[in-house]
Amino acid sequence: MRLKIWLSSSAVAAVISATMASAQARVSLASPTVHAFSDTTSVRIEVEIPTTKIPDGTVLSARIVGAAGDEVVWTGEIGKLAVGADGIGRLTKTLSGLHPHLWSPQSPMLYSLLVRPAGATGDVIGRIRFGFRSVGMKDGRILLNGRPIFLRGNAINPPERNIPDSLEEDRRFVEDYVRYLKSVNVNIIRLTRHSQVWFDVCDELGMMLFQGNYGTPQGGKATQAPAAPLSESVNWYRKDVIGPLVNHPSVVIYVLSNEQADSEINYLTTGAVGVNKFLGAMYDSLHTWDSTRLYIANAGYGFGRVGEICDLHRYWGWYYNSFLSFYTMRDPKICWRSGVEQPMTMTENVGNYTGVDGRFNLVPNTKQPDSQLNWTGHAPQSEQAEQALTYQAWMAKQAIEIFRRSREQNPNLAGLTPFTIVFHNWWGISRFADMKPKPIAKQYGVSYQPILLSWESWTPNAYAGATINPVAHVVNDSDDGSDLSNLTLNYYLVGADGHMYFRGDTLLPDVPYYSARSKVIPIALPVDLPQGVVKLTGTITRGLEVISTNDVSIFVAKKSFGSSTQPIAKNVLLYDDSTGKTAKALKTVGIGSTPLKSLSNLSTGDLVVIGAEAWNKKMTHNERGLRAFVERGGKVLVLHQNPANFDVSWLPVSIKLQTGQLDHPLVFPGGRPFMNGMSVNPEQLMSPVFDGVSRDRFFLWSDFTNWNESKPGFPQVYPVTRGFVIPDAKAMGQVAVLANYDHGLQGIALAELFGGRGSVLVTGLDVVNRAGLDPVSDRMLVNMVRYMSTGAHDAAPMIDSKIVWGDYASERGLLTGIYSGMILNTVPVVPADLATKYPITVDSVGYTFAGGTSGWNTKPAIQYVPRGRRAFGPYTFSSGGSVELIDRKSTLGEGQFWVRVPSSRTSMSTTISNPVSQSLQMEITVNGVSSQETVPGKSVVTVNTPLTRANKTVGVSFKGDRRLVLLETDFK
């Protein structure tokens, strides 16, 4: 395909002409080159032979036989060799009307092409192996041998990536690796470099490849095309990039570049026009030479302006947005930038790089550490591996299955390849079996089933006895290309005890090949379901044949779980909106309330509740009464509010309600932390406000809009819809952050603000809209009312044992989001025999690296793990999610926290590590009293600081060189 908007026809002709002239001027080949450009019934043979090997005018013959030698497809003369001025003999011949067996992933048939002088029986000039198959594009679909095919990929693979050198080209290892990926239904991969061994194995086993130059073109930059003549770039592509791929039928897509400049991506804006013109010229010339594959000209950010495929890279659900943004792919216009209907692929997605031990690989100064906080929060280190691996697999499931079933709305969605780490072990292995697949690999096996049953369920939490309405989707990418009919769905609920509590069945609609169909399946949850997680499992059968199985988990609770079973200690005075929505919600969970009519006669025995989105101008005019009530010792619960209406001036601590939306089709939109969020992190899980609710129950809540993916927008499954931030970090001594979310846990979902003798509990959790629907949401509504009705509360947590910095469990919610300024310090764990190759360095701001920056995907054998914290603030985040200093000139960082300790403790003991050779300074301040400490180079010291207390809360701050690492703090 030619997109004429990029180069005029005269410019294209000039490029091709210059390419031909340059080809004549190339140096002589060291050995003959034979290329076979084939489709289903023909092959174009190109031969280049140095005249030192054979004289000018020699007639050549060719023979095409099955790889096993038992089938002859063609034999005969192919023409006379013509020698050019460069001393290279060339011949081109097209053979048509052939009847070979075709290469495909299911039947990878290969043939041998032998070229020799005509009449000769012994001397073979060239011998190659190739396959007959066609790769094309029609109506926005990728066609293999004339039939649409969906690409089910995996992007991060050897060679390289830290596997031992001895295995890089080891056929047994390569075969085992490729066979395994095929066993979990992967049908296409990408390699980090050209390897004929890997290409050969993929040819033989039927594993497709998208391959080429996965970087910037030679001599170019991400935002600048090469300065050399276009003909030189064409020759480089033909000789070094595409030439080694031509004879491999497994290579179905050529990639010319990766993530180059584009005017629509805010960090790739410079040079977009020049880059696109260059790629247009390369495509025109290369496609003229080899049109037997499809081209991605600019992987990730080319938007299909050049080439046949519109490819995107989107890491929704890793360092920006959530999995729900994959629903934006239902609209082709998210990708297409021309009038040409193109297949849409996503050759990078998912991310969420887990390390050797399963925890997120916390490579410093990257997207990783703060993304980890987004998705696994401050879960104890003992739980981090399971949490990370589970989320990585779950995120892959959502990306793959939403992408595939969205073809019911957008049939141009043609394939995706998660870019993530699928195996635990890379270095130190002696065979493929040592790599040990992660749970995501097992998820591939399910989500990549050629015939896929996929559940769309927006009720992750439900009451026993309720009716849920999941949607069963069937996606037909059957290996044999057949339509599906006479399908039955059998479905059943299985409890954690293994007992089957319900079963049903229904007929499903017919599903033509390469399409998707869906059906709503109403299910009345049995009243006797035990409280806990149950699995809704479905099996599609055709006659007696089981053709697909999948499941989805649901947390089921009894009615009593989400109801108030004891009287509320305070009189609940409710200020509600005109609909009475919050009053109805409170009544639903068993809490009575009285309308708030006046702020002048409030008693500290009252609990004032500001209803969801009920704040209005009347309340703004009377905010002094609320302020005075709190000062006297009153308690106020503020449910989620509209940022446009809510007046924050009366609060004991100023907050800012966020307005940015989490999900949308954009990249790096700004506005973080977003107003809505999922995977909420309970900072103080032992607080009574979380009674009965575990961390896992804060991931998603049930949709209250009856949404399904046939409708625009997104389901309302975000627990947080009106999150907020604290603009002044110094005010955090008056704040108990109980739950937070988003990147670096900057967004606040639930916090108690202290002023005078009272406090205000502010929440962005959307509990009112879900009343009676979601038991977890209901339980949190009950808990918040009860929490604010009983007991004395404190802003600072009680710490009565040693803090091991970087161990979330021992920190006990002391450090909330970025507000403390205490950044997690991470260090690499390097296998002993890689230590020389990857030396440890510490940069000027204290980041510790093995063999340079980055490495979460290029060096998966090296895992970065927490070891202490560093006083690093103030800082914020870049658009890409990395930590960004606010004052880059200063070498000093600050950190702070507030804590309560037993009255018997009289001193604070802090262990500090200095990882560099020079002595560094640290200032430690406890309740306003400071001391200066010198930490000698390459040493660990323990500093004892007297506790000075005017009240029960101890305020501690550290200020010093950012390279100093705080290891432990204990109060003695």
Side-chain angles (χ1 to χ4, degrees):
M1 180 190 69
R2 170 73 183 105
L3 301 185
K4 296 182 180 178
I5 60 173
W6 298 113
L7 287 179
S8 67
S9 58
S10 60
V12 172
V15 170
I16 296 175
S17 175
T19 301
M20 294 304 206
S22 178
Q24 296 296 320
R26 283 187 295 180
V27 297
S28 297
L29 299 172
S31 59
T33 298
V34 179
H35 286 145
F37 304 88
S38 62
D39 57 22
T40 57
T41 61
S42 68
V43 58
R44 187 178 91 248
I45 301 171
E46 286 191 358
V47 182
E48 292 186 345
I49 305 175
T51 53
T52 56
K53 303 287 183 180
I54 194 168
D56 185 14
T58 301
V59 176
L60 300 183
S61 67
R63 181 178 174 85
I64 301 175
V65 298
D70 56 353
E71 178 189 0
V72 178
V73 173
W74 191 91
T75 184
E77 294 182 357
I78 57 173
K80 186 181 296 184
L81 201 66
V83 177
D86 59 354
I88 304 299
R90 292 180 175 83
L91 181 152
T92 299
K93 176 68 173 181
T94 298
L95 307 176
S96 303
L98 307 179
H99 301 284
H101 292 89
L102 303 184
W103 186 96
S104 70
Q106 295 74 41
S107 179
M109 184 66 184
L110 298 172
Y111 290 89
S112 293
L113 167 64
L114 291 83
V115 177
R116 55 165 53 96
T121 58
D123 295 334
V124 175
I125 296 172
R127 181 195 301 268
I128 65 165
R129 193 176 64 174
F130 73 106
F132 288 91
R133 61 31 173 182
S134 66
V135 181
M137 183 272 283
K138 183 179 180 181
D139 298 329
R141 299 178 182 184
I142 294 173
L143 305 181
L144 178 64
N145 299 332
R147 193 177 80 193
I149 187 167
F150 187 84
L151 308 179
R152 310 186 300 263
N154 182 64
I156 294 182
N157 308 283
E160 301 175 338
R161 309 281 188 193
N162 283 152
I163 69 167
D165 295 344
S166 61
L167 298 180
E168 291 265 314
E169 305 289 316
D170 182 270
R171 277 193 64 94
R172 175 66 180 274
F173 172 83
V174 178
E175 289 171 357
D176 289 346
Y177 183 92
V178 173
R179 281 196 180 98
Y180 175 78
L181 286 186
K182 288 204 71 173
S183 76
V184 293
N185 297 315
V186 171
N187 67 8
I188 190 167
I189 62 174
R190 178 177 65 81
L191 308 178
T192 55
R193 61 173 170 80
H194 287 0
S195 166
Q196 293 302 316
V197 172
W198 282 81
F199 296 162
D200 287 344
V201 169
C202 289
D203 289 343
E204 295 162 13
L205 298 183
M207 176 64 77
M208 293 185 291
L209 291 159
F210 64 105
Q211 197 71 16
N213 174 51
Y214 217 76
T216 56
Q218 180 175 270
K221 299 178 181 179
T223 58
Q224 182 179 325
L230 292 176
S231 58
E232 291 187 15
S233 292
V234 172
N235 284 331
W236 171 72
Y237 271 111
R238 287 182 57 163
K239 180 176 180 293
D240 296 333
V241 179
I242 292 180
L245 308 176
V246 166
N247 296 328
H248 294 283
S250 56
V251 179
V252 296
I253 295 173
Y254 290 146
V255 181
L256 301 186
S257 68
N258 176 57
E259 295 189 353
Q260 286 211 265
D262 191 276
S263 58
E264 299 181 54
I265 306 301
N266 61 5
Y267 70 102
L268 290 176
T269 53
T270 304
V273 174
V275 165
N276 277 310
K277 285 185 176 180
F278 168 81
L279 291 174
M282 295 303 102
Y283 170 77
D284 284 329
S285 182
L286 295 169
H287 187 262
T288 299
W289 179 56
D290 185 358
S291 60
T292 66
R293 277 87 167 175
L294 299 179
Y295 286 77
I296 297 175
N298 186 358
Y301 298 129
F303 291 95
R305 292 186 178 95
V306 179
E308 293 96 352
I309 295 176
C310 191
D311 184 64
L312 293 178
H313 291 171
R314 295 294 182 268
Y315 286 105
W316 296 318
W318 174 36
Y319 68 99
Y320 55 92
N321 301 37
S322 85
F323 76 100
L324 292 176
S325 286
F326 278 88
Y327 280 115
T328 63
M329 297 297 290
R330 292 174 296 177
D331 179 7
K333 293 179 182 178
I334 190 177
C335 198
W336 296 348
R337 296 297 182 272
S338 74
V340 179
E341 189 175 12
Q342 295 173 309
M344 296 166 60
T345 60
M346 191 178 283
T347 56
E348 289 189 21
N349 54 87
V350 174
N352 291 287
Y353 304 100
T354 52
V356 176
D357 72 5
R359 290 181 289 177
F360 280 118
N361 200 352
L362 303 180
V363 181
N365 199 26
T366 69
K367 314 167 179 90
Q368 285 286 93
D370 302 299
S371 295
Q372 174 267 305
L373 291 172
N374 197 356
W375 303 114
T376 62
H378 283 155
Q381 291 297 337
S382 60
E383 299 175 9
Q384 282 288 331
E386 181 181 2
Q387 293 269 351
L389 290 169
T390 298
Y391 180 71
Q392 179 190 27
W394 183 90
M395 187 58 239
K397 172 185 174 69
Q398 302 308 314
I400 295 168
E401 295 189 19
I402 290 174
F403 200 94
R404 293 183 69 186
R405 67 194 192 215
S406 290
R407 281 159 50 205
E408 191 166 8
Q409 289 84 32
N410 179 7
N412 304 105
L413 297 175
L416 75 169
T417 54
F419 194 88
T420 188
I421 305 297
V422 180
F423 299 95
H424 282 278
N425 302 322
W426 297 75
W427 187 256
I429 61 174
S430 61
R431 54 180 182 164
F432 167 71
D434 298 334
M435 292 191 77
K436 295 185 179 177
K438 294 177 179 178
I440 186 176
K442 181 179 179 182
Q443 188 62 56
Y444 278 176
V446 176
S447 298
Y448 276 155
Q449 293 175 93
I451 298 171
L452 172 68
L453 165 65
S454 181
W455 289 105
E456 176 196 350
S457 173
W458 305 116
T459 49
N461 309 311
Y463 283 109
T467 296
I468 61 174
N469 294 283
V471 181
H473 295 262
V474 186
V475 182
N476 181 9
D477 296 318
S478 58
D479 287 336
D480 62 4
S482 62
D483 299 336
L484 297 176
S485 59
N486 301 318
L487 302 179
T488 299
L489 172 65
N490 299 284
Y491 51 96
Y492 42 94
L493 293 169
V494 178
D497 56 2
H499 181 71
M500 183 183 296
Y501 287 89
F502 172 88
R503 71 177 306 154
D505 61 77
T506 187
L507 297 178
L508 293 173
D510 294 348
V511 188
Y513 175 69
Y514 205 75
S515 63
R517 297 290 185 268
S518 59
K519 183 175 182 178
V520 178
I521 311 293
I523 299 174
L525 299 175
V527 176
D528 63 346
L529 272 175
Q531 186 159 297
V533 176
V534 299
K535 280 192 174 182
L536 169 61
T537 298
T539 300
I540 298 178
T541 59
R542 181 172 51 189
L544 299 177
E545 178 189 11
V546 175
I547 58 176
S548 189
T549 299
N550 209 341
D551 59 49
V552 64
S553 295
I554 303 168
F555 172 74
V556 177
K558 302 294 187 182
K559 278 292 183 183
S560 58
F561 178 85
S563 300
S564 178
T565 57
Q566 299 177 1
I568 301 299
K570 289 181 179 288
N571 180 36
V572 177
L573 299 179
L574 172 65
Y575 188 81
D576 205 357
D577 63 7
S578 59
T579 67
K581 185 169 56 176
T582 301
K584 294 174 186 175
L586 289 171
K587 183 177 181 180
T588 297
V589 299
I591 296 175
S593 63
T594 302
L596 176 66
K597 297 180 180 179
S598 172
L599 295 173
S600 59
N601 298 313
L602 294 176
S603 162
T604 55
D606 297 327
L607 168 63
V608 173
V609 177
I610 309 298
E613 301 193 347
W615 191 275
N616 54 24
K617 291 181 179 179
K618 179 180 178 181
M619 288 298 290
T620 297
H621 293 154
N622 292 280
E623 55 87 15
R624 291 184 179 179
L626 275 179
R627 189 198 306 261
F629 173 61
V630 174
E631 288 286 336
R632 296 198 313 270
K635 299 285 185 68
V636 180
L637 169 60
V638 179
L639 299 177
H640 74 271
Q641 300 298 319
N642 186 332
N645 299 333
F646 187 56
D647 178 13
V648 302
S649 64
W650 64 276
L651 294 171
V653 175
S654 180
I655 69 171
K656 177 177 179 289
L657 272 65
Q658 297 300 97
T659 58
Q661 290 289 344
L662 174 59
D663 288 299
H664 44 73
L666 304 179
V667 179
F668 306 154
R672 175 167 267 156
F674 303 112
M675 64 186 292
N676 43 1
M678 56 186 65
S679 192
V680 176
N681 171 64
E683 280 289 5
Q684 300 179 31
L685 198 52
M686 298 307 294
S687 168
V689 80
F690 299 120
D691 179 52
V693 184
S694 68
R695 176 181 297 276
D696 290 343
R697 301 279 69 81
F698 281 100
F699 187 68
L700 296 175
W701 285 358
S702 293
D703 171 65
F704 51 85
T705 65
N706 295 315
W707 188 89
N708 64 56
E709 60 193 47
S710 67
K711 303 175 182 178
F714 308 103
Q716 292 304 306
V717 290
Y718 313 101
V720 180
T721 58
R722 299 295 188 187
F724 56 97
V725 297
I726 307 291
D728 182 9
K730 297 297 183 183
M732 294 303 291
Q734 296 173 250
V735 180
V737 175
L738 299 171
N740 43 21
Y741 68 100
D742 208 297
H743 213 77
L745 300 178
Q746 186 178 10
I748 300 176
L750 181 64
E752 191 170 5
L753 316 178
F754 292 82
R757 297 193 299 273
S759 66
V760 181
L761 184 66
V762 182
T763 183
L765 298 170
D766 194 338
V767 291
V768 169
N769 284 315
R770 296 182 171 90
L773 171 69
D774 187 310
V776 178
S777 172
D778 286 350
R779 181 63 173 252
M780 281 304 300
L781 177 56
V782 171
N783 283 353
M784 289 188 292
V785 173
R786 188 173 303 285
Y787 173 77
M788 292 301 285
S789 299
T790 58
H793 304 167
D794 294 286
M798 171 64 72
I799 301 294
D800 56 5
S801 60
K802 182 167 62 179
I803 300 168
V804 178
W805 294 113
D807 178 359
Y808 299 144
S810 86
E811 292 176 353
R812 284 156 284 185
L814 268 180
L815 308 181
T816 54
I818 70 171
Y819 302 102
S820 71
M822 303 263 285
I823 195 173
L824 188 70
N825 183 62
T826 64
V827 296
V829 179
V830 184
D833 41 2
L834 282 178
T836 302
K837 183 177 181 180
Y838 300 116
I840 304 296
T841 58
V842 180
D843 72 7
S844 61
V845 294
Y847 294 124
T848 303
F849 294 104
T853 59
S854 190
W856 61 75
N857 61 69
T858 57
K859 301 189 285 281
I862 299 175
Q863 180 164 0
Y864 288 75
V865 299
R867 184 176 183 267
R869 286 190 180 267
R870 291 183 288 123
F872 201 81
Y875 65 85
T876 184
F877 298 110
S878 69
S879 59
S882 300
V883 168
E884 194 169 70
L885 288 170
I886 293 175
D887 182 0
R888 300 189 181 192
K889 295 181 180 180
S890 174
T891 61
L892 301 180
E894 297 182 57
Q896 60 182 358
F897 64 89
W898 288 264
V899 64
R900 290 179 298 126
V901 299
S903 58
S904 60
R905 311 295 169 88
T906 59
S907 68
M908 182 180 76
S909 172
T910 303
T911 303
I912 308 173
S913 171
N914 180 353
V916 300
S917 298
Q918 69 191 86
S919 295
L920 301 175
Q921 303 296 314
M922 172 69 77
E923 180 182 81
I924 302 175
T925 302
V926 178
N927 281 350
V929 179
S930 301
S931 62
Q932 294 285 341
E933 306 293 339
T934 298
V935 185
K938 297 286 186 179
S939 68
V940 176
V941 301
T942 298
V943 178
N944 291 305
T945 309
L947 289 183
T948 57
R949 292 196 256 191
N951 50 53
K952 61 183 178 181
T953 300
V954 177
V956 179
S957 67
F958 300 97
K959 183 176 183 179
D961 193 285
R962 291 189 174 91
R963 292 170 289 182
L964 290 173
V965 181
L966 301 167
L967 297 178
E968 296 179 352
T969 293
D970 199 2
F971 297 92
K972 301 180 179 179

